[in-house]
């Protein structure tokens, strides 16, 4: 059938992973229109149209559950979807214009903490980095010893230091994904060892991250959708697994209950 594609072909066309397509199928967000006699997924043109819609809304930050609700609302036709997308894109453009203005403002007055120009921040941390996160962090933790210690240490860092820290974090994330996809249990030795590497990375570069603080960070990975999304983009389910590994590691090394 000319309009049937394998899961690998769809992944290549859409520039996503096969694992992501499997996850979408498992949660009912995008199930293939057909199967081969051997049970292999076969996607049709209509499935690719739906995938395009999914990726559009995901790019704008919509949770997968909300995307499913939007696309499964049969009272909304294709024309209304286009109107909605036009409005969302217009809002995104406005947001980017405001972000550009914030970057220009930051260039005129350096802030404490990450001593980089706005361009260097985007270069190192990616286009998803937001200047306002620094202000939010100061509002939430500005009166803590950890914040003071982190500000004192990072004030000495230059571009090369941040590149090294980012490379270390990326390498750790790759190890986390490898262990998670290999089926390592969150409370097993390899997972807890990686959780300890995660804690030590914070200790080595920012502040003395106690096990109590590390437990709080673990909770934030599930409570704050922005942190959750970072790990879910690496592998669906990774945020929960890392959370559980961090709690298990803290309990194991302190002799307390997770």
């Amino acid at each position: 059938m000319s309009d049937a594609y394998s899961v690998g072909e769809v992944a290549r066309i859409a520039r996503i992973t096969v694992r992501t397509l499997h996850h979408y199928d498992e949660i009912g967000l995008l199930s293939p229109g057909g199967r081969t006699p051997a049970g292999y997924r076969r996607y049709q043109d209509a499935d690719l149209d739906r995938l395009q819609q999914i990726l559009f809304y995901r790019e704008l930050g919509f949770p997968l559950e909300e995307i499913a609700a939007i696309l499964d609302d049969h009272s909304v036709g294709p024309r209304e979807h286009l109107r909605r997308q036009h409005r969302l894109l217009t809002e995104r453009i406005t947001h980017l214009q405001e972000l550009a203005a914030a970057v220009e403002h930051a260039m005129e007055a350096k802030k404490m903490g990450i001593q980089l120009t706005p361009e260097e921040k985007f270069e190192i941390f990616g286009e998803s980095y937001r200047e306002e996160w620094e202000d939010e962090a100061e509002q939430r933790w500005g009166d803590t010893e950890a914040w003071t210690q982190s500000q004192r240490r990072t004030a000495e860092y230059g571009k090369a230091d941040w590149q090294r820290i980012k490379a270390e974090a990326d390498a750790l994330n790759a190890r986390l994904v490898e262990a998670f996809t290999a089926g390592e249990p969150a409370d097993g030795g390899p997972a807890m060892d990686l959780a300890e590497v995660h804690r030590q990375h914070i200790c080595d570069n920012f502040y003395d991250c106690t096990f109590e603080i590390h437990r709080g960070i673990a909770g934030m990975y599930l409570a704050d959708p922005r942190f959750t999304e970072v790990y879910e983009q690496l592998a669906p389910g990774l945020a929960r697994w890392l959370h559980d590994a961090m709690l298990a590691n803290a309990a194991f090394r302190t002799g307390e209950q997770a």
Side-chain angles (χ1 to χ4, degrees):
M1 176 163 58
S2 61
D3 63 344
Y5 307 86
S6 70
V7 66
E9 289 172 330
V10 175
R12 186 166 54 255
I13 292 170
R15 298 183 180 180
I16 58 178
T17 65
V18 169
R19 183 181 177 85
T20 295
L21 288 169
H22 287 175
H23 179 62
Y24 288 172
D25 188 9
E26 290 165 2
I27 65 175
L29 179 60
L30 178 67
S31 296
R35 297 256 182 185
T36 67
Y40 293 107
R41 296 171 174 86
R42 299 296 289 177
Y43 292 84
Q44 300 176 0
D45 288 342
D47 302 325
L48 268 64
D49 289 341
R50 183 178 174 91
L51 177 59
Q52 184 179 42
Q53 298 291 327
I54 292 169
L55 296 180
F56 172 84
Y57 285 111
R58 193 184 72 174
E59 176 67 21
L60 292 179
F62 281 68
L64 296 182
E65 296 83 357
E66 189 171 345
I67 294 174
I70 291 172
L71 298 184
D72 292 337
D73 183 358
H74 299 298
S75 66
V76 179
R79 187 185 298 270
E80 182 57 33
H81 274 298
L82 288 173
R83 290 197 188 97
R84 180 200 296 267
Q85 291 171 7
H86 182 270
R87 175 175 56 80
L88 291 172
L89 286 172
T90 300
E91 292 173 355
R92 171 61 67 90
I93 290 170
T94 299
H95 173 72
L96 291 175
Q97 289 173 336
E98 293 172 350
L99 180 60
V103 171
E104 291 175 2
H105 177 72
M107 290 172 64
E108 297 171 359
K110 276 193 171 183
K111 297 181 180 180
M112 287 183 61
I114 303 177
Q115 297 302 307
L116 298 171
T117 67
E119 293 90 346
E120 289 173 331
K121 291 178 183 178
F122 286 122
E123 175 187 343
I124 295 172
F125 302 117
E127 62 183 14
S128 62
Y129 183 81
R130 297 291 180 265
E131 288 274 340
E132 59 264 31
W133 290 349
E134 295 178 41
D135 295 331
E136 179 183 344
E138 183 173 7
Q139 291 173 4
R140 296 178 65 175
W141 300 294
D143 59 350
T144 66
E145 175 58 29
W147 172 265
T148 301
Q149 187 179 22
S150 178
Q151 291 291 288
R152 184 169 58 248
R153 294 175 66 178
T154 58
E156 304 292 326
Y157 292 169
K159 181 177 179 180
D161 296 302
W162 288 109
Q163 289 174 325
R164 173 187 57 78
I165 291 170
K166 179 66 164 52
E168 291 173 358
D170 289 344
L172 173 57
N173 285 341
R175 294 174 64 190
L176 291 170
V177 171
E178 182 180 3
F180 172 68
T181 55
E184 291 288 348
D187 59 354
M192 290 193 292
D193 287 345
L194 287 173
E196 181 62 11
V197 173
H198 182 280
R199 189 181 73 87
Q200 287 297 331
H201 178 74
I202 298 172
C203 292
D204 292 343
N205 295 294
F206 302 102
Y207 55 85
D208 297 331
C209 183
T210 65
F211 290 106
E212 179 181 359
I213 292 176
H214 208 220
R215 287 191 183 100
I217 294 173
M220 190 165 58
Y221 285 171
L222 296 184
D224 191 323
R226 293 170 299 181
F227 289 98
T228 305
E229 182 65 11
V230 168
Y231 291 100
E232 290 303 291
Q233 286 182 346
L234 295 175
L238 182 60
R240 165 63 68 178
W241 183 86
L242 177 57
H243 164 275
D244 293 349
M246 291 164 69
L247 296 189
N249 178 63
F252 175 76
R253 295 179 191 275
T254 63
E256 300 173 0
Q257 294 296 314

